[in-house]
Structure formats: C-alpha cells, structure tokens
Amino acid sequence: MVAPGALRVVRCGGSALRGARAVFSADSKYLLYVSGDFVKVYSVNTEETLRLMGGHADLVTGIQLNPHNHMQLYSCSLDGTIKLWDFMDGIPIKTFTVGTKLLALYTLASAEDSVFAVIPKKDTFQLVSVTLTKGAGQDLEGKELSVVLDGVGASMKHIAFGREGAYVVSVKDVDLQVYFFKRKLLNRFSLSTTKTKGGDNRFSCVVCHPKEDCIATGHADGKIRLWRNFHDKKEYTYSTLHWHHDIVMDLAFSIEGTRLLSGGVESVLVQWHNESSCQKDFLPRLGSPIEYISMSSDGDLCCTLHTDNRISIINSNLRFSRSIQGLIKSRDVKTGLVVDPRTKALVLNGEPGHLQFYSLQSDQQLFSLDIVQRQYIHQAGLKQSDLVKVAFSAQGTWLATVEESEEVTDPELQLKLWFYNEEIQSFELNTRINTPHDNHITDMCFRDMDELGDDSLILVTTGRDCVFKVWVMVEDTDPEGDVSWSCDFVGSYHNYQATNCCFSEDGSLLAVSFEETVTVWDSLTWDLKCTFCHPPGNIRNICFGRLTCSKYIIGATDYGFLCCWNLLTCALEWSAQLNVVVLQPDPLSEYIAAISWLSKESSLFVFKPNEPLPVYIQRNLCKDKILLAAFVPRDEPEITSSEKYPWLRKSQLFFLTDTQELMTLSTKSLEERLTPSSKQLAVEESLPVTPFSLLLGKHRHQQAQEDTDLGKLVVHNKQKQASPAVKELLHTPAHVLPSASFLCTIFINSLLISKEKKSAEEVADEVEMESEKAEDDSDEEDITAMEQEDTSHMELLGEMTCKLSKSQEKELRKIRKMDYSWISAL
Amino acid sequence: MGEFEVHRVRFFGLVPAGVRCLACHPRGSRLALARTDGAVEVYNFAANYFQEKVIPGHELRTVESLCWAAGDRLFGAGLSGDITEYDLSGLSAARGVDGGGGPIWSMVANSTGTQLAIGCEDGSVKIFQVVPGGIQFERNLDRRKGRVLCLSWHPSDTHIVAGSIDFFRVIDVTSGQTVQRIMVNHHVEKAKRECVVWAISLLSSGTVVSADSFGRVQFWDWEQGTLAESHTVSTSAALSLAVSEKEDSIIVGTSTGATYQLQLLPVTLGGQEKRWVRTKPFQFHSHDVRAVAHSPTALISGGLDAQLVIRPLMEKIQKKSYDAALRKFTFPHRRLVSCARKARLLLFQFSQYLELWRLGSTEETGKDGEVLPLCQMPEHLVQLKSKGPEHIYCSCVSPCGTWVGYSTASRFHLYRVHCDGDGVSLRKVPKVPKLLPPAYQLQFSADSDSLFVASARGSVHVFQLLEPGGCKHLHTLRPPSGVEGRCLPFLPRGSAQGGCVAEVSAVVPSVHCPLLQHHCTVPTYNCAVSALAIHPSTNNLVIAYSDQQLLEFSIPEKQYTSWSRAVQSRGLHRAWLERDSPITHITFNPKNPSHILLHDTYLLCVLDKSLPLPDDSTLLMNQSTLKQLPETARKRQLHAFKICKKFQPLLFMDLLDENCLVVVERPIMDFKTQLPLPVQQKKFGT
C-alpha cells in the first residue's frame, strides 16, 4: 500500500481496449470491456463509465459472463489468474491462480465448474479446461488443467465453441480443427497455402452459429467461409462470402444466427443475411479498423472495438448509436502533447489527419478537428498525408499545424494557420502555406505574449533545410480587412539543420538550435545575440526558464548531457549527465521536468534551472518508454500536495508512453479517484430485488436513522475506539502477551465510557469531528457489509434474481416505496 | 532437344462455338455436347474425357437440347422444330421428325428412356415414343399460352414440370392435365421485368427447383404451390441447373459465367432436418453458362466462351488420380490445320470455309530464343467457302500445295491450286467419283500423286491424282469383315511411299493396317486412338491413345518394337499420364530416325528413343533446369522426353524440313476478344 501523500503513477487514459471482446451484461444495460489491466463497466444508457475493476497485475486478456450467474464475470489475465467478479459492485469474489500466462478465456453453460483458457506451451499454445475448485476463501488454486486442443492460436478470436458446447473449433494459419466433446473426435481441415490470385487463405477469426452446426471463419484476404458438414472428413463443404478487401478482423452471429456481422480494416461493419452473398447491409465510416465485434444476448445491440481504442455501440437495425472514446490511439503521435489554452484539453494526433482534443477530467474526446481534410484510405503502402506539428498561441486563438506526406525524400509540406471562431466555436482555416520549408519541419512555436496583443504574434518554424522562418500576420488588401500570414524573416546559422526553437517568456529572445549549437536571436531586430554549445552531440531539446529563472536556457543533447546556460553571463551555469528524452517546462512555474530513458527504465527529474540539484527524482517511473510529457495547468492550485511537491501545485504532469497510455502523477489513492456517485448508483441497482430484502432494507434504514437521532453515536464511537485494543489482545500470539493481570485493566478500561475533562465547547467540537469521522467510517463499513451480503445473496439467490421479470421488479419497487414503519411499531 | 527454326503462326483465327447444351449419359460414361453452331460432340469419360466423336453442324439445324434415350441413342432438338437422331457410328444426323409445335426449346427423356417430352414455342408439351429406328408421336399434353423453355420428368415418370415465362406448371402425364400452375414472382412487388424460368427440375420428393432470370434458385412444394426456399445466387440470370442422381447436390450456371453448387445439408450434425445451402462458387467461364451437368463425381459446365469445364468433387473421389484434377477443354481434340511441307502452305479449316496461307520467310539466323525479322510476311492466299448449309468435316492440302480437298456431310470436293506469281486461282476438279459420304479424313501421299479418303464403314478409298486436274478411283481398302460397319477409319500421317495407310476403328479399339504390301492388325487396346503415324523409313507405326499411352508397332515385323515393349514394362512418367489433352499429331524427323515429334494443346515433345526413359522420381519437364546445368551433369540428367511448353495453346505442329518447324497457336486472349462482351460486373479495384 502506498503511504498517503506519496506520488503514484496513475494510468488515466489510453489503455488498450483491445485485449478481448467486450461483453454485454445479460440485460444489455451494461457493457463490460477490458482496458489494460482493468475491466471497465459502462452503462449503455447513460454513457458513463460506472466502475473500474482493478486487481489483475497484468493485461486482462479475456472476460466472460458466468453462464450460471449473469451478475458475475470471469476475467483472465497474463498474470496467470482467473478472477470472478461481481461486476455490479466491482468486488472480486474469487481469484483462481493458474500459474501460467492466460491468453484467452471461454465459458460454457454445459461445463459446470470449469472454464476454458488458452495457455502457452513452449512455442505453441494449448486450449485447456481449468477446473475451478469450490472452496471457501477468496484465493483459490486453479491448477487442475486438462488439455483440450493442442497447437491453437494465441488470440481469443481463433477459438470458438459450437452450438450448445458440443464442439470446439480452433483455427491457426491455414488449418481448422474441430473437436467434438462427446464423440472425442478431432477433425482437421487445411486450406491451400498458395496465394493464388492475391488470395491468402490464412484464418483470422472463427465463430460458430448459435443454432445450427455451421462455422464461420474470416480470412486474411477478406473472405468469409461458412463451413458445414464438418463432422465428415471428406464430405465437408463450405461457401464463401467476399466483400472485405483486406483481412476480416472479427465476425459475430446474431442470436438466432440469421445475420452475420463482419468487420475489418475498412472500418465498415457488414451485415450478411441468411448466409447469402447477395443480401448484405453496411454501416460505413466507423472511423477506424474494427478489431472485435460482440453481440448482446437479446440481440438488440452490438458493439465494435476499434484499433484506436474506440468502442461503437450499434443498434440491431445497423444504426450507429453511441461511442465510447477516450484517448484515440493514433499510429504515431508526431505532434507531441500540446495543451489547448482555451479548454485545457490535451491536443495530439487522433484519427489519421485529425487533431484530437482530449479532456483529461472526463476521459473523453472533446472534439476532433480535421486538419488534412482528405479521405483516409486504408491501404498498405499508400503514402498518406499526416499531421506532424501543432502549436497554439497563448490565448488559443491561433492554431498552427504542419502536415506532410509520408515520403522521406521529398515531403509534401503544408503549413496551416487556423483562427478560433467564437461564433461557430471551432477553428477555421485562415492561411494555407504550401511548402513552407524545403525539407521536414522540425519544430514550431508561437511567440506567446498576452499583454502585447495580436501585433506581436509571431510564428517561428525550423526546418531541416537549414533555416528557420519567421511568419507574421499581415492585413489583407481586400476591403474585408482579413489577416493572413506570410514569411517575414529567414535565418540560418552556418548551414546547419535547425532542430528546435523556443521563445523566452517575455518574447524578446528566440532560441534556435542548429545541430550542436544553440543560437539566441533578438526577436525585434533578428540579430544573432549569442551562441552556446556543449559538444559533442546535437541539441535534442531546448527551453527557457520561467519567472525567476528566466535568465537561464536549458538544453539537452543527444550525447546525454543536460546543460543550463546563463543568458546574462553567456556561460554554462551547470551541466549534468543525463539521457534526456523529454524536457518539459511548466508554463506556470519555474520548474522543469526532464524524463530520461536509460537501460529500459524511465526516470523523472524535476528541477529549477537556478539549482543544479533536482527538486524531485523518481526512478523507474514505468515499464514502457515515455515519449512525451506535458504540464497541464490546474483549474485551481492544489493545496494538499503543495508542501511536499510544490511543482505539482499549479500544473499536473501527464506523460504518454510508447504504447500510447496516458499516465499522470497523483498523490491521491485509487479509491479517492472513483466518483462516489456512480458507485452508489451501482450499489443501488445491484441490490437483489426480493420482497423480503426490500422490506428489511427499508426497515433497517429507518432504524439506523432513529439511532443517530437518539444520539447513541458516542457509544458506538467508543466501541469503535475500543475495538483495536481488544483486537490486539486477541491477535497477539499467546507467548508474547504480558500477564493476564496486566491486561485485565486495559481490557476493562476499554469497555468503559471515559469521562472527559474538557470544556463543553471543546467536547462539542470534537464530537462533531468525530461524528463526521464515524459517519464516514460507518458508511464505509456499511458498504463493505452490504457487499459481502450481496455476494452471499448472489450465490444463494443467483438463479432467482435473474428470473425476476421487469414487471415484477417494478412491483417490488412500488412495495419498497410504501411506508412500512408500522412494522417497527409491532 | 535439337534446335529448330520455328514458324510461330498466330493468324489462325479460329473461334470455337459456344456450348449450348450438355447431356450426360445415364450410366455416366459419356457426355454429349452441342455447340451453338449445331455441332454435336461426344466425350468419353473413361478415356480421359477424350472428344471421341464430332458431328459437324448444319446451318439450319441448331440444337437447343440433347438427350440420351433408349440406351445409347442420342437425340437432339432445336429451333428448327425437328427432333433429330444422331448416328454415332456414322457420325451423321439422321433425318429429323417434325415436332409439330414450332421451335422446340427443350427436350427430356423419361427415366427409362422410352419416351421423349418436348416443350415447344406454342406452349405445348408433346410426348414421343422412342421406337427402333426412330421416334413416334404419342400425344399432346395440356397446352397453355407461353413458350415452354424447360422441362423435367419426375423420376417416377408420373408428372412433368414445364417452365415458361413468369410461371411453371406441373402436368400429370397420365391424364395430360395441368395440376398446378405457379407464378414464380407473384410476391415481387411491381415486377416490371418478366421472369424467365430458364431451368427447372422435379425432384423425387416433389420439390420443384427452378432457376430464373432474376438469378434465383427457388425450391417449391408443387402440391401446395408454396415456395420453400429461395436462394439468390447471382445478380444476373441463372440459366441452367442440374441435379445429382442422389438429389443432394445441384449445380447452377449463371450469365456472369459463375457456377454455384447447392448442397442439401443437415442443419445440425446428424440431425434429420436438412436444408439447401449454397456452398461453392466457381468462376471458370467468362460468359453465359448455358449448360451444366452433374455427373456422380464431377460438376460439368459449358459456356458461351466455348469452354467445357469438368470440376471434380473431391469428396466423391476415393483416390487421387486423373479424375481428381480440374479439366478445361476449349479446343477440339483433332487437327484443323494441314500443312503443305514443300510449298510451305497452311490450310486452316473453319466450320464453313477454308483458308490457305503462305508462311513468311526470313533470311536471318540467330541464337536460341531470338525472334528473327521477317523478310516476307505471311500471306493469305485464298479463302474457299463451302457450298450449302453443311459444315466441313475434314480438309487437307497436298504436300506440294497444288491440291486441296475437303468434305462435308454429303459431298467431297477436290480443288486444284494454281500459284502463278502473285495470283492464286482455284479450280474445281470435275467428275470426282461419287463416294459413300461423308469422308472423315483425307490424306495426300507424300509425293502428291494419290489421295486417301477415309469413309464410312471403315473403308479407305484410294484415288490417283492426274495432271493437270483430275482424279481416278483406284481401289478401296476394307477392314476385316468382323469389324466392318463399326469402325471409323483413321489415316496415319507421314506415310511416305505411296500407299501406306492405316486405319483404326474407334469402337473396337484395334488398328488395322491395310498396306499395299502388308496387312496387319495391331493388338486390341481398350482406349481410343488420338493420333497415329507411320515412320517413313522404318515403317514403324506410332500410336498415341487418349489415355496418353504411346505404342510403336513395326509393320514389317507385325509386332511391337523393343522400344515400345520397354516403355510398356517401365510405364510412362506419371506427369505424362496426367496431362490434360490428348496427343493430336505425330511426326518424324527425317534426319534422325530415333526422334518422334508429338504435341498436344499445351506441349510440344521431342521423343528421343535413344535416351533412357524417365522414372517417376525425375522431373519430366526438365528442359529449363538442364539449361542451367554444366555439360557433364546435363548428360546424366537427359531423358527421352524433351518437352517444350513455350507455345500455348498449340493447335498444330509440323516439321517443314530437317530443322524447320511450324507451330500454330491460338492465344486464348485473341479469341476471347472476338466473343461478345460479357455481362458487365463491378470488380473491386477497377
């Protein structure tokens, strides 16, 4: 457990949602999906993430509803455990330790106390049946494995269980295996490996028809094959559906099997009717390649998981309903992490050619700005234009973007300047500059000067064509008086490639790094003021100090040095040997964060430029390489952590790893971060609705209220205080206990109500405080108690709860709202 | 292999006619095929799908439907309104019987083959009795308006289902009354287009399967008149369908050239409930698939792109053999080209005319693989149109290039070619002796002074050619009396010294060689002969059979040669035996008596008898690998079969002189461009 106040690295978005197919709860009210190490519960109606179930130590690779209790969920993870959850409350009920990596999980209604999982076996993978031992306690062993199939694929899409669990199908490369459980018969079918006419027969996914004996397989060339008669090795047959032009990523049958859904890189969901190739419907423009498709049990909804971490929920009539999108995963975050000054949203590459505005508070995408404004075509080897650089002016009124085509030698560059239009609440394209530089643009920054107004707005771009260019606004000659941007000054230094640029805080100086040298320019006259360098090694990052440290300029070289130069003396103030990957100044304070990458661990150093010693060091920040970081200004300065971590007071540091997970540093514990409202909501809804429990629950509630009214609180409180003494007494081993006579007094004392000798005022104060605390405590206790109760109810009444129909539930709620206070009178 | 100067001829503009209908023999051993030009062909499944018989077409006789009845009798009916019986031994069409209902669109035989039902333009369905020597009108069934496009008998012969435009009806055969009439598109809202029922089949369970112009295959319960299942297989018309004998599989041909298989499969494994499921699609054709047939082990389809495709059903084939491979036939299994070696002329035979071309020539020489520039372009000398509506059976040009002969079903024509400078004139030879038509093969002797005409009943007529343009019947060679009337003569190529003639009966597979000096019989072999030739110097007879066997028979010694015995004992290479098409021509290299040159549609082979035979472990087509080997290693790798696959599809090959070859190719793309445009289809990525 982390001590309170310690900084913890917290994941706050961008975790891969693609570990496994999402699962709808039995009533289709909730959607459960995997997000990194967590399982998230999402309310389909309110579009809100209700619950985050953490507990696995590694990526979750499979989730399945418990077929015998629809309120429970099995999850498996690479950490080798299978957990059974009550997903309404987010409580882990049981943990089964299997011991080997688990790559996929399947449950069967016919298998009473076992689940199926995929485990690695040397170079291949096996499908095993894991017997879940029944026993008391939370942590159980699940080591009774029996191999069902050998040589299966590692992905959960490569195995499917047939109608009523009669058989299991596994696909790998070009081989299909069907194992019939009852007859213990294994049939193998192989397709040809030759790639004739652009065909590629490798399997990509498999699903089984829910009512008939039919297997649907997706292939790498976009074909879907429907296999029948596969119990016969010779007479088996298949038909082919072909629409996708590239790999079929996933398939799903509707509940009755009359419809088949398929998806792939085209970002189009295809619905096939009656296995006919002539009748098909499409839902196009889903944004990004479809990775998984899942169906709700009532067939009303289906959901698609996309490669960019988006979830789309789709109605049964193939209408797009809603989407869950956190941080959109783009192929490559070239823009870096930029903060939009207006919305405080994090801005980075989103969909191809788009800029996403990601709200950190709500973990949602605010909007997506189409920069490239070209249709993205999913095709291998096609050179697409993509967004590479983004810069905001200080007020967020101007946005500069650079896009380039993926060609290495002769990139097609475009610099676009966007003006924020208050009326339409969006950015409008103001100026488009073709080929601003002759080679790749390496950096770009605005001169942010709030006080000087629009006239001082300057944009500087640096390019590999060995120049930096200064762009200024000019009034258009046309009568409307619009402004546009044009080049004002071109600077160069010894024909070196310009790599970085930044303005000092007051905007008077511009620092541009040319390979090994940092040059400082006067921004009014564009004179070269001075140069710094720290050979060997090119400059990787530069930044000016802020506030009190504005006389310093910091640079990091790719030779592993962090240098701080004094602008007044033009001399090196200090340098440190550090392989800095990210150098990020806090815009609101003088602190600068540097993240280094050394021998497979990222470390964070926070320092003030005027002191060579860092303020804060955290080694081994996370396993992945950190690529980008950003300080996001807080809405209001945080007080709690201010003493210990002054650098976190005004801004919060976020960083992005190479797996595109967004992390932050937080002093709060995990529990605090969960919104209590949603928690309460879930508890409410998950109560097992029986007439008795409703009656009892209401009665209890009233009684508790009466108790508090009667002021018995103090006594309760005392008991609570006493309990540690008793606990200590009972839990200490006998041989280390002092003599009984010594303990006796303590024990007796603990039972007594102590007489206070404080003044009345003080007492009242303290009571109030304590009562607050007590309320908190009791609240918490209540929840846990209830949760435990719930689980036991679940186990006992699991069957019953699900059998209650909606009308019955309504009736019960009516009963609950009635006044039963007369019972207590009896 | 030996180096040759090759005349690569691509100006033979042959466009094979499209396949109009197919009829599988009930016992599954033969397939009758009719082409759009009225030609009827018979393929023998037992002999590697060899095109055994060809009956050339007739301008006035289109064939819409073929069926086998009463054992091995083949009947055809067409838009001329006649029902024709084909004489398969005499390769001719017997005189037709008028159907009496206008153009006939379809004809089917009942399960016993005793009755024929025809569907006519006027909407009538008529029943004919098959009697020895012909057919006899039996009765008319209920007549309704609308042409009857397709018919099908119930397997128990009690009912006939007749498909028309927009509806089909079920007729009780005993009463002759229509018992059910079902509109096929009554449920389609505002159907503006008419729905043509192109093919129909009545299954023993009482299910009617219909294929219509909307691309649907529909299954109806005819007693209730309800639609049981509907499969839209194509966006364009479904033109043909065939049901397997067990009624568990259906093949459907569509106008986009795709064929589809539908199978009756259990819904759940081992369950009783079964459903028709569209399973495999095949895209072998580029044009309409007008005819399909379902043999017990294969799906057979014929399209307007002139292809016959035999797609074996792997699950029905027990062991991997010749039958397990996909077969496609586009070109006839016989020669349509003859060559005048000395005059360097080529005679091309089309269905109704002949073309005479003079080969180009060059004076350059070059290395292997080089293309030499022509100094004289090939020249189209003359086109000779056949008189009358009949199509040409056979043709030949004499080695000296001065005589051209051809035969139709009823007449034999001989022409004298005069080449004087640039002008070419043809003069008909008067008073050609009347023969018993038709002539199946013509062959001039090497010195061009006599002509052999293979004619009916196995007889070969020998004519003496007289200058300046006349001929005289010398004598007739007849086969031994036992096989007379059942055999077709087959003239060998390359017979040199005057009157060396062999003939072969196709029905009784033995070869008789009625030479002038010798007369002998080659032992019986149970396969059809696809080509034979007599070596000019050794008088060895080389025979290629349709199962790809090769035999060499010494006529002077009246026994197989030792090489042939060695081949028989070793067995031929497996790759050789599994080839697609039969050897259509054999010739010899006069310079090297141990060389035999032979070709089929896909390869050209020089058989060197002096080299060892390959066994199954060695590569049969090793010419390209040999080229890369050093001289010493190459010696060890050499074997008797030297194969060249450079020229494809190869219609003809002959040796002009010792080191000059002529090959006639007909690239598939060339003739595809002469076909009408196929149905427009959206193709992804175009």
Side-chain angles (χ1 to χ4, degrees), chain A residues 97-259:
Chain A
T97 311
V98 180
T100 52
K101 272 188 184 179
L102 299 168
L103 293 147
L105 182 76
Y106 308 92
T107 54
L108 269 191
S110 54
E112 273 296 325
D113 50 357
S114 62
V115 294
F116 296 88
V118 174
I119 59 166
K121 174 82 184 286
K122 285 172 193 164
D123 297 337
T124 61
F125 300 92
Q126 299 182 315
L127 178 72
V128 294
S129 139
V130 182
T131 310
L132 302 176
T133 44
K134 279 186 180 150
Q138 270 215 346
D139 292 312
L140 295 169
E141 294 274 292
K143 305 230 162 152
E144 273 182 58
L145 308 179
S146 56
V147 177
V148 179
L149 275 178
D150 253 327
V152 300
S155 163
M156 75 169 300
K157 291 189 278 195
H158 291 168
I159 292 176
F161 284 83
R163 181 182 57 93
E164 291 154 13
Y167 52 90
V168 58
V169 195
S170 143
V171 294
K172 196 187 180 201
D173 293 336
V174 291
D175 301 316
L176 177 104
Q177 305 183 59
V178 189
Y179 180 73
F180 295 89
F181 286 108
K182 275 199 189 125
R183 290 156 66 193
K184 300 211 185 324
L185 174 75
L186 179 70
N187 277 355
R188 275 171 210 271
F189 307 104
S190 290
L191 295 171
S192 76
T193 46
T194 51
K195 296 175 180 178
T196 47
K197 290 185 217 151
D200 186 350
N201 286 329
R202 277 177 297 124
F203 287 96
S204 60
C205 53
V206 62
V207 287
C208 290
H209 196 291
K211 303 283 175 200
E212 295 172 13
D213 285 323
C214 172
I215 300 169
T217 57
H219 296 264
D221 58 353
K223 285 195 177 114
I224 300 166
R225 290 195 166 91
L226 294 161
W227 301 71
R228 285 177 183 273
N229 242 12
F230 42 81
H231 65 298
D232 195 303
K233 276 199 172 172
K234 254 185 134 37
E235 301 248 319
Y236 75 92
T237 180
Y238 58 78
S239 54
T240 312
L241 307 174
H242 198 173
W243 180 85
H244 294 278
H245 80 261
D246 210 326
I247 185 165
V248 179
M249 297 292 272
D250 204 7
L251 295 166
F253 269 111
S254 69
I255 299 310
E256 286 299 316
T258 50
R259 295 177 294 132

Side-chain angles (χ1 to χ4, degrees), chain B residues 403-407 410-416 427-436 439 442 451 453 461 463-465 469-473:
Chain B
W403 301 90
V404 169
Y406 75 89
S407 166
S410 58
R411 295 193 64 185
F412 167 67
H413 305 265
L414 188 63
Y415 287 86
R416 175 92 181 156
R427 199 165 51 79
K428 194 172 177 197
V429 176
K431 289 187 231 135
V432 174
K434 283 264 182 274
L435 295 170
L436 190 63
L442 302 171
L451 169 67
V453 180
H461 306 282
F463 292 91
Q464 189 179 15
L465 300 171
C471 72
K472 192 175 83 183
H473 183 232

Side-chain angles (χ1 to χ4, degrees), chain A residues 165-415:
Chain A
Y167 52 90
V168 58
V169 195
S170 143
V171 294
K172 196 187 180 201
D173 293 336
V174 291
D175 301 316
L176 177 104
Q177 305 183 59
V178 189
Y179 180 73
F180 295 89
F181 286 108
K182 275 199 189 125
R183 290 156 66 193
K184 300 211 185 324
L185 174 75
L186 179 70
N187 277 355
R188 275 171 210 271
F189 307 104
S190 290
L191 295 171
S192 76
T193 46
T194 51
K195 296 175 180 178
T196 47
K197 290 185 217 151
D200 186 350
N201 286 329
R202 277 177 297 124
F203 287 96
S204 60
C205 53
V206 62
V207 287
C208 290
H209 196 291
K211 303 283 175 200
E212 295 172 13
D213 285 323
C214 172
I215 300 169
T217 57
H219 296 264
D221 58 353
K223 285 195 177 114
I224 300 166
R225 290 195 166 91
L226 294 161
W227 301 71
R228 285 177 183 273
N229 242 12
F230 42 81
H231 65 298
D232 195 303
K233 276 199 172 172
K234 254 185 134 37
E235 301 248 319
Y236 75 92
T237 180
Y238 58 78
S239 54
T240 312
L241 307 174
H242 198 173
W243 180 85
H244 294 278
H245 80 261
D246 210 326
I247 185 165
V248 179
M249 297 292 272
D250 204 7
L251 295 166
F253 269 111
S254 69
I255 299 310
E256 286 299 316
T258 50
R259 295 177 294 132
L260 175 68
L261 296 170
S262 66
V265 293
E266 300 88 356
S267 324
V268 180
L269 188 68
V270 186
Q271 179 172 272
W272 308 84
H273 295 275
N274 297 320
E275 299 161 24
S276 155
S277 60
C278 293
Q279 290 171 284
K280 50 184 178 278
D281 296 325
F282 304 101
L283 178 63
R285 288 181 281 280
L286 283 173
S288 55
I290 294 169
E291 181 88 25
Y292 291 100
I293 305 171
S294 38
M295 267 276 177
S296 71
S297 57
D298 57 3
D300 214 21
L301 298 171
C302 84
C303 98
T304 54
L305 265 66
H306 299 261
T307 48
D308 64 353
N309 286 352
R310 190 205 317 248
I311 299 177
S312 304
I313 295 177
I314 289 151
N315 283 341
S316 57
N317 55 0
L318 220 60
R319 284 275 173 77
F320 177 78
S321 165
R322 44 184 76 94
S323 78
I324 311 171
Q325 47 186 3
L327 190 64
I328 294 291
K329 184 170 182 162
S330 59
R331 283 180 307 161
D332 191 5
V333 183
K334 293 171 181 161
T335 58
L337 290 181
V338 182
V339 179
D340 177 20
R342 187 177 296 274
T343 56
K344 303 279 185 292
L346 214 53
V347 178
L348 63 159
N349 282 115
E351 290 171 49
H354 285 61
L355 201 59
Q356 65 170 324
F357 288 67
Y358 170 74
S359 163
L360 291 158
Q361 278 74 35
S362 56
D363 186 19
Q364 273 177 348
Q365 187 185 321
L366 289 182
F367 68 96
S368 180
L369 182 66
D370 190 356
I371 301 291
V372 173
Q373 297 179 335
R374 261 184 233 170
Q375 177 78 39
Y376 182 78
I377 299 160
H378 291 278
Q379 189 179 329
L382 200 66
K383 302 280 187 212
Q384 317 259 7
S385 289
D386 204 4
L387 189 60
V388 290
K389 294 283 176 249
V390 159
F392 280 97
S393 69
Q395 298 298 310
T397 48
W398 286 96
L399 164 70
T401 59
V402 174
E403 64 202 59
E404 61 181 38
S405 62
E406 285 167 339
E407 259 137 286
V408 184
T409 49
D410 188 22
E412 208 176 286
L413 286 171
Q414 268 193 2
L415 173 67

Side-chain angles (χ1 to χ4, degrees), chain A residues 474-494:
Chain A
V474 289
E475 297 259 330
D476 273 359
T477 48
D478 61 345
E480 282 170 34
D482 282 346
V483 290
S484 63
W485 291 75
S486 68
C487 187
D488 183 49
F489 178 75
V490 179
S492 65
Y493 182 76
H494 287 285

